[in-house]
Amino acid sequence: MVDEPNNQAAVESMSIYRNFQWGRHLELVLTDGRSYRTPHPVPPEINQKLSGSDRYLTPLKAVEVFDAGRTYDDGHPPETIEIGDQTIPNVRRESAPGSMLGDRQKEWWKNTVARSTATWTVWGHGVPLMPMRIDLGAVDPDAQTVVMTTDTWDGYLTERRELLSFVQDADTRLVSLSGDNHNSFAGLLHPTFESAGETPIGAEFSVCGISSPSLFRAFVQAISDDSPLRPLIAFDGRPVDLDVEQVEALNLTFLDGAKASATAARTGNLDQAKEAGEGPNDHLSYVDSNAYGIGRVTVDARGVDVELITTPPPVTPQRERELEVTRRAHFTLRPASGSGTVALEGPEIEGEPPFPFWSK
């Protein structure tokens, strides 16, 4: 019955991916990252053995091998993977690479991006495109770099690389607008995120939720005070003369690496901490992991102006009060020399900056 033409038309009418163009400067492309995606690359039962979670803090090595499936290492995937002292069977050795969009939507996306004549192609989708990783190996020789969550595009590395390389070849200036990561952040998009010196092809601005718990709060609850990972999330700044009971170190961990946060917790010296850090997220310009709020975007011929607005946690009714704003982080994305390239300015922060920005 589904193959009957009218039924098929009805099913297709329920698809939510689509595009709109406003004037000469904005092509808005909206995709569906839930309906057509393959399962997370590392099965929950294996991820539980590796990190104690279904899809968080997954070793990057496992993601790379499992996501690529039978295409890994030019078609020579290993039968097992060594993660620390564990030997993990490669259960996706015979599988195709993972996909967030599915074949049909991906082909539509490529055609839409290739045909666009707008100054800016703005891609609105449900989960972040940029990597958000933690280099645990910098503070623990028995650990390694982990992906914050495989629910984002960091769990679908093969397809992300395919799409961003396509954008590069199409000479398109791409702006990614995303969310569902329970924090606000911004940075530059690169074709692979794997090679130093790649020319940026766009930028991403990801916004937190209005009322859902922040990423920082979730990590504070999940990582105990006596855990060796705790200084990478939060630490007491008073013993190191920072005069803050709880320093929100998770931002620094993402921006400058695990060693940076460990150094800050030990010395209180932010310059020394940043010098020590060698983080895996060089593309990031801003992270506000303890954020609630909204984002505002304006697109015109000159560029893309973005404001990430952080508000206090919505824990009490505010019917009689105006909405409070904790901070506004302003960014401007401009065309750079060369087709398809961009330059990101910001953040300029109005209000109370998050750590580590308040120490500047």
Side-chain angles (χ1 to χ4, degrees):
M1 289 293 291
V2 175
D3 293 333
E4 196 274 328
N6 291 322
N7 287 343
Q8 186 66 40
V11 170
E12 289 300 321
S13 72
M14 293 186 288
S15 63
I16 63 174
Y17 61 87
R18 59 201 63 201
N19 65 299
F20 309 88
Q21 181 161 348
W22 280 273
R24 293 179 296 159
H25 303 300
L26 171 60
E27 178 93 40
L28 178 61
V29 184
L30 303 176
T31 54
D32 179 356
R34 294 293 175 186
S35 299
Y36 311 102
R37 66 157 68 186
T38 56
H40 298 122
V42 181
E45 62 274 14
I46 293 179
N47 214 74
Q48 281 284 347
K49 294 179 181 179
L50 297 174
S51 72
S53 165
D54 283 2
R55 61 176 186 268
Y56 288 92
L57 301 181
T58 309
L60 176 59
K61 180 180 178 181
V63 178
E64 291 173 336
V65 174
F66 278 51
D67 169 66
R70 58 175 175 260
T71 69
Y72 185 79
D73 191 23
D74 293 326
H76 299 90
E79 293 186 1
T80 61
I81 313 170
E82 303 296 326
I83 304 291
D85 60 358
Q86 299 188 65
T87 299
I88 306 298
N90 184 1
V91 296
R92 298 201 70 254
R93 189 167 180 263
E94 303 297 332
S95 301
S99 175
M100 178 83 74
L101 300 183
D103 290 342
R104 184 168 184 172
Q105 182 179 198
K106 180 165 60 177
E107 188 65 23
W108 167 86
W109 186 93
K110 287 182 176 181
N111 290 336
T112 301
V113 170
R115 289 197 304 262
S116 177
T117 59
T119 306
W120 299 97
T121 298
V122 177
W123 181 12
H125 50 121
V127 293
L129 191 58
M130 290 191 298
M132 293 284 281
R133 299 169 180 173
I134 301 177
D135 55 333
L136 297 180
V139 294
D140 180 355
D142 294 327
Q144 56 188 272
T145 296
V146 296
V147 169
M148 202 267 292
T149 174
T150 58
D151 194 50
T152 69
W153 280 95
D154 232 6
Y156 298 83
L157 308 178
T158 304
E159 189 167 81
R160 179 176 65 190
R161 191 161 48 240
E162 176 187 353
L163 296 180
L164 293 182
S165 295
F166 181 88
V167 169
Q168 182 183 41
D169 293 341
D171 288 336
T172 297
R173 295 186 179 97
L174 181 68
V175 180
S176 169
L177 302 181
S178 63
D180 197 28
N181 216 36
H182 301 261
N183 66 144
S184 293
F185 59 91
L188 289 168
L189 296 173
H190 298 276
T192 68
F193 296 105
E194 296 168 1
S195 304
E198 284 188 314
T199 300
I201 57 172
E204 178 166 54
F205 306 94
S206 190
V207 70
C208 58
I210 295 173
S211 59
S212 55
S214 70
L215 181 68
F216 174 78
R217 290 298 170 197
F219 269 66
V220 164
Q221 292 175 2
I223 307 297
S224 63
D225 290 345
D226 59 355
S227 169
L229 297 181
R230 184 69 175 197
L232 311 186
I233 311 303
F235 62 86
D236 188 344
R238 294 170 298 181
V240 290
D241 298 325
L242 289 180
D243 197 30
V244 177
E245 182 176 356
Q246 186 182 66
V247 177
E248 297 174 1
L250 184 57
N251 300 334
L252 181 61
T253 298
F254 282 132
L255 288 164
D256 292 287
K259 196 172 182 179
S261 288
T263 302
R266 188 178 68 253
T267 67
N269 187 314
L270 187 57
D271 290 334
Q272 184 178 340
K274 290 189 172 186
E275 185 175 345
E278 297 179 357
N281 303 309
D282 291 341
H283 48 278
L284 288 174
S285 301
Y286 177 76
V287 179
D288 186 359
S289 62
N290 193 18
Y292 305 81
I294 61 173
R296 179 184 298 162
V297 181
T298 304
V299 179
D300 59 27
R302 296 167 296 173
V304 180
D305 293 311
V306 177
E307 187 177 50
L308 298 178
I309 303 170
T310 298
T311 59
V315 294
T316 57
Q318 299 197 26
R319 297 185 185 90
E320 306 299 327
R321 300 163 54 192
E322 292 185 3
L323 177 67
E324 297 177 8
V325 173
T326 303
R327 68 186 64 94
R328 301 172 188 267
H330 301 267
F331 304 84
T332 300
L333 189 65
R334 304 286 190 204
S337 58
S339 60
T341 59
V342 297
L344 179 62
E345 302 168 7
E348 295 183 4
I349 301 174
E350 174 187 342
E352 178 185 340
F355 182 81
F357 297 94
W358 53 251
S359 296
K360 290 184 177 182

